[in-house]
Structure formats: structure tokens, C-alpha cells
Amino acid sequence: MLRWDDPLPTRPRRILVAGVSGSGKTTLAARLATVTGGPHTDIDALFHGPGWMPRPSFLDDVDRFTAADTWVTEWQYRTARPRLAARADLLVWLDLPFWTVTFPRVLRRTWRRSRRREVLWNGTVEPPLRRLLVDRENIVRWAVATRHKYRELVPAVAREHPALTVVRLRSPREVDDWVAGPLQHSLRGTGLS
């Protein structure tokens, strides 16, 4: 597993971004797509249908976009993770401090989306924040409950796919420094390849 300042062994073409809800996966994935020139597919938009119901075509859609030479997406959804990992060449793990970085982010984002009734994917809308107390799958509660799961998932996928480069980023500064440093170097062809 690489740190933020380790050089990348090759130029990444198929990139996954992993992390708990609120860690900044989609924001970083969109940024990586801009930097690398590969398309970003928001995996939430493929998964969620109207009324938060899973879309029946989800896995077919995942297979379709991951058949391309280049792409960036979030490493989410139990049914999709194995397919995504098998086709990716880089997994970026956002392992940020939960209570001081991720939790405030997910709380602010959920509050904003709920208050503004923002339409998210396929007509879905964040439920009222008061649902936090009664809905076990509220995104804020979900983030708290699953905050440690990537500490098992990421090392396991790295063992299962030894050719998959895994970079662990532990702070917002490491994210910025990694994008400006090792990622940029790999795109200029000065990586180890």
C-alpha cells in the first residue's frame, strides 16, 4: 500500500476512490477525471432509482462503463465492488480523520441537501434531517456505523488483486499533495513505468 508521497508505478487509467460516506469520494473522483482526462461515472447515479430504490440495470451499467479503457468512479456497493476492483488499476483510499473531517462534512452536506430539498439521482431527494433519529439507514448514521469498514475491505482487495495499486491518503493535505505530486508525475510519464 502506497503513501501520499510514494511514486505511482504506472500511469493510472481505471481509478477507484474508496472511503466512508462524507470522505469526499465523489469530489475527488470528479477531480481525478479532470486531471487524468478520463470520464467520471458517479456510481450513486447508476445505483439509485426513483424513491431510493436500486435500479435493476445497475450491474449491467457498471459492466458497460468499466469496459472502457479509462474511467474514474467511487468504490461502493457490495455487489459492484468485486467487478470494479477486478477492472481497476488504482484504488485511492480516503482514510481521513472521521470525527474532525468526515463527520462534519457528511453532516453539513446532509443538512444542506435536506434543507434545500436538492434533487440528487433520478429524482431522489435527501429526507428531512429529523429522520436521522428514526431512520437506521440515514446517511449520517450510516457514516458513523460504517466508519471502520474500509480498514478491512481495502487490505483484503489489495491481497486479492496484487496488480491493483492502492494509495492511502490520511488528510485533506495528503490528498492535495498526492494529486499535485505522484499523480501528476505519473501523467507526465515520469512514474516508474
Side-chain angles (χ1 to χ4, degrees):
M1 192 170 308
L2 302 180
R3 295 170 15 105
W4 71 270
D5 55 349
D6 291 328
L8 293 173
T10 61
R11 177 188 178 123
R13 299 171 51 83
R14 295 172 307 279
I15 305 171
L16 296 171
V17 181
V20 69
S21 296
S23 61
K25 292 182 302 296
T26 301
T27 300
L28 181 59
R31 183 177 173 190
L32 296 179
T34 299
V35 170
T36 64
H40 170 231
T41 298
D42 183 340
I43 203 158
D44 282 327
L46 296 183
F47 183 80
H48 294 292
W52 295 99
M53 296 302 295
R55 294 176 60 247
S57 63
F58 173 60
L59 291 177
D60 291 336
D61 293 339
V62 168
D63 288 340
R64 198 170 3 271
F65 88 79
T66 59
D69 288 336
T70 61
W71 47 263
V72 182
T73 196
E74 302 82 12
W75 192 51
Q76 296 186 160
Y77 302 107
R78 181 180 39 80
T79 57
R81 277 193 196 105
R83 295 169 193 233
L84 293 166
R87 297 172 182 160
D89 53 34
L90 174 66
L91 185 142
V92 181
W93 177 18
L94 296 175
D95 188 21
L96 310 180
F98 183 77
W99 293 110
T100 58
V101 177
T102 302
F103 185 75
R105 283 180 179 177
V106 76
L107 197 57
R108 280 190 306 268
R109 180 188 75 188
T110 303
W111 169 255
R112 184 194 76 239
R113 287 176 174 176
S114 177
R115 194 181 86 235
R116 294 180 183 169
R117 305 299 295 154
E118 288 182 26
V119 177
L120 302 172
W121 313 280
N122 302 306
T124 58
V125 177
E126 194 80 58
L129 197 57
R130 68 178 178 273
R131 297 283 316 234
L132 170 66
L133 301 174
V134 295
D135 183 358
R136 298 185 83 178
E137 292 193 12
N138 177 281
I139 195 66
V140 175
R141 288 178 72 165
W142 179 260
V144 172
T146 62
R147 69 187 182 274
H148 299 300
K149 79 177 181 182
Y150 288 96
R151 292 183 182 163
E152 294 175 13
L153 290 175
V154 173
V157 78
R159 284 189 303 273
E160 187 176 335
H161 300 282
L164 179 65
T165 299
V166 177
V167 176
R168 185 179 193 181
L169 304 176
R170 296 176 178 247
S171 72
R173 181 176 181 154
E174 283 189 7
V175 172
D176 291 340
D177 289 348
W178 176 78
V179 170
L183 179 63
Q184 287 291 342
H185 289 298
S186 74
L187 299 177
R188 288 194 292 264
T190 58
L192 300 176
S193 59

